[in-house]
Amino acid sequence: MKLRIWIRRRCDELGLCEYVEVPLARALRMADKIKMEDLYIIIDDVEPQLLEDLA
């Protein structure tokens, strides 16, 4: 399983937004500065059995 953290940096007047991928350790250091609506956590390469166990 691989975690990827994406943070929305800014959006223009047309609604097009810029995102940046940050390492997990950096995201944790910035946790008090990140708004929850700007944070995206993407989970890759998850075993199907693990998803069933988590649900």
Side-chain angles (χ1 to χ4, degrees):
M1 178 170 62
K2 178 182 176 186
L3 288 175
R4 295 188 302 155
I5 310 295
W6 288 80
I7 299 173
R8 181 173 47 196
R9 291 184 60 184
R10 67 185 127 220
C11 297
D12 65 11
E13 62 276 354
L14 298 175
L16 298 173
C17 299
E18 177 182 335
Y19 298 86
V20 63
E21 184 173 3
V22 297
L24 180 59
R26 183 172 178 205
L28 290 174
R29 286 193 305 267
M30 298 170 38
D32 59 336
K33 299 174 187 168
I34 301 171
K35 291 189 262 180
M36 293 307 290
E37 60 267 13
D38 293 339
L39 178 68
Y40 298 87
I41 300 172
I42 298 146
I43 304 171
D44 287 333
D45 301 326
V46 179
E47 304 262 338
Q49 184 61 42
L50 178 60
L51 283 178
E52 290 178 19
D53 292 344
L54 292 174

